[in-house]
Each structure stands twice: as C-alpha cells, then as structure tokens.
Amino acid sequence: MLIRSLRGVLVLALLGGCAGLQTPAQRIVETTSGRSLTRAELMERLRASDVVLLGELHDNPHHHAIRAELLTALGAPTTVVVEQLPRGAAPALPPDADRAALRDALVRAGFDAEGWAWPAHEPVFAAAARAGHGVRGGNLPRELARRLAREGGEALPAELRAPVDAAPLAPQARRALEDDLQQGHCGQLPAARMPGMVWAQRGRDAAMAQALREALSAQPRGPVLLIAGNGHVRRDYGVPQLLAPQLPGRRLLAVGFVEPGQATTASEYDLVWVTPAAPRDDPCEGLQIKGAAAS
C-alpha cells in the first residue's frame, strides 16, 4: 500500500524549462509546445486516439471528478481498464447504483475499498456505469506483486515477462523510475530492495498493457482507456513504454494529472492537466520502513 498512497503525493519533480511556470487553477498543457488546450480540443485528441491513458494523484478529488466528466463526455460506450482492480475482473456496475451498491459490486470484483480510500474513486466508477462503459481490471494480483518485490523477475509469468524483456528501459528512464520509487518510500527504501520494487512496477505495467491490448482486440475502434496513477501512464517508463512497440501504428495519448508547482516534459506525458492541489499532511512524518536503517 505504501507506493499506492505515497507515490502520487511525492513524485513528479520540477524538470527543465517548465519550472516556475505560473498556472491557473486548471490548465491543459501540450508538453511538446507548452500550448494550452481547451476541453473541446482535448476531447478531439481523445476521440482520435486508439488508447488513452489518464493518470491521477490518488488522493486528489479534482482528478477523479475531471476524469468522470471525460468518461461521460466520451459518448459511445468503450472499455475502461483500471489499476484499482486485478486483471481479469469485469464487474457488472448497474448504471443506477447508489454508492453502497457500487462499492459492493467493486469489492466482489476484487476492489480494496480501504486501500483505495473509498469513496475517492466513486466519481470515476459511477460515471463509467452511467455511460455504459465496460470496466475491466488491469493490475496484478496483490500477492504476485509482493512476490515480484521479494523474488524479482523470475516470479513474473512468461506472458508478462516477455514484453518487459523485449522493451528494456533506457538508462535515464530507469533512473527516473528508481528515483520515483525511492521518493515514494520517503527516501527510506533500502538499496537491496530496489530491483524487486522495479520488477513489481514493471509487472503491474505489463499487466495493464496486456489488458489494454485485449480490450483493443475486442473493440477494434478506439479509444480504450486506462485509469491509473501518474507513474503508470508515463511514456518513459510506464504502460506506454511497453505498449507502443506492441501496437505499431496505433495512437496512444498519455495524460498526466498534476498540481501547481509540478512540471513535466514531453518524454513523460503528451498532455498534462494542472488542477488545484489536494490538502494533505506530510505522508512521511513519523514513517519508518522496516529494514531501512540497514541501507
């Protein structure tokens, strides 16, 4: 749970020429040009894509509300793959379900209501249900992710290991991933545990990439969508880095959701949506990770 709760809070360091940019309460920015887009322009880009990856800071309610609006505005039903459910899960979400019924349907499909701080993601799931989108799980089972963290890549099933081996990370991307993992552990992650944590992250990304491929195969006309944390939708080390080589000619759109004072580059996302920050305490205050003192 640590990475899930902290990474979105702590990562996305200031980078390059965008640092110091004054941003309004909300702004959609094209990373290659720095140009602001309207919501209408974003929807055009979204509908013209085959795969759309929508990031989040897990504890920012603005991100969930905005993505719910996008799911509603999309119109035609599509498939929405979500990090918050294990791969293979396909919950039946009644379009008129109240909060309790929606939560129960998700929990039956493997949703960890406490770990994901329900009802934080309720707007996204409720919007998907009302629009008739098919929701599919994309994440690794928790125990497999834990095995990867302990044992490394040998624990990853062959169907997921093959695409990871075929698309090794560039040195800069590997460093960025390791830095984000370290920051997500409040700087306390022992060096000996880093390789396993990288494999756990890569395994999750491979699982989500496979779920998106399967969704696109069943629905040849896009877009299919991914709902996941910002780290998973990054082009340099996330799902797109694994997915792009497997879908030549397909159009992928990666959208990061960030807060004022955070910046990014075109190597990470195609677009960033800047929103108001979420109020939060320091998640690292008083934290002590077991084994960290020995690192």
Side-chain angles (χ1 to χ4, degrees), residues 17-270:
C18 292
L21 179 67
Q22 297 300 310
T23 57
Q26 285 200 33
R27 185 183 178 200
I28 308 166
V29 183
E30 183 180 59
T31 58
T32 54
S33 66
R35 180 175 74 90
S36 292
L37 274 63
T38 65
R39 289 198 184 205
E41 289 175 315
L42 172 67
M43 291 306 301
E44 289 180 9
R45 294 276 293 272
L46 190 153
R47 293 191 178 102
S49 301
D50 297 299
V51 179
V52 175
L53 307 99
L54 300 176
E56 66 181 60
L57 296 179
H58 298 315
D59 66 344
N60 190 312
H62 302 289
H63 300 177
H64 306 311
I66 291 168
R67 293 177 309 161
E69 293 172 5
L70 295 179
L71 291 178
T72 299
L74 190 59
T78 187
T79 301
V80 182
V81 174
V82 298
E83 176 190 1
Q84 294 78 20
L85 288 171
R87 188 165 61 103
L93 302 181
D96 56 351
D98 60 17
R99 174 178 291 181
L102 186 63
R103 177 188 181 279
D104 290 346
L106 290 167
V107 169
R108 287 194 297 271
F111 179 74
D112 180 355
E114 181 179 359
W116 288 107
W118 180 265
H121 289 79
E122 179 195 4
V124 171
F125 287 115
R130 288 193 300 268
H133 300 317
V135 173
R136 300 291 182 268
N139 212 339
L140 290 178
R142 183 184 304 177
E143 183 51 40
L144 178 53
R146 289 174 174 169
R147 282 190 59 203
L148 285 168
R150 293 192 306 266
E151 303 171 21
E154 296 304 315
L156 192 62
E159 61 176 341
L160 299 180
R161 176 72 185 257
V164 174
D165 289 342
L169 291 176
Q172 184 175 355
R174 172 83 182 207
R175 287 192 297 270
L177 173 55
E178 291 182 352
D179 182 61
D180 286 351
L181 288 169
Q182 189 59 256
Q183 290 188 61
H185 286 77
C186 300
Q188 298 184 32
L189 185 64
R193 290 180 56 189
M194 180 62 75
M197 298 304 295
V198 169
W199 271 110
Q201 183 79 3
R202 295 288 279 165
R204 291 186 182 100
D205 289 338
M208 287 183 251
Q210 183 177 72
L212 287 167
R213 290 199 315 273
E214 292 169 352
L216 197 57
S217 176
Q219 175 193 307
R221 295 186 61 183
V224 297
L225 278 70
L226 175 67
I227 298 290
N230 279 330
H232 293 297
V233 309
R234 283 179 57 142
R235 276 192 169 274
D236 56 347
Y237 68 64
V239 173
Q241 189 270 344
L242 294 169
L243 194 59
Q246 301 172 42
L247 297 175
R250 296 284 196 165
R251 294 160 294 185
L252 277 60
L253 181 69
V255 185
F257 282 74
V258 303
E259 297 177 344
Q262 300 173 326
T264 186
T265 67
S267 66
E268 298 170 36
Y269 309 103
D270 301 301

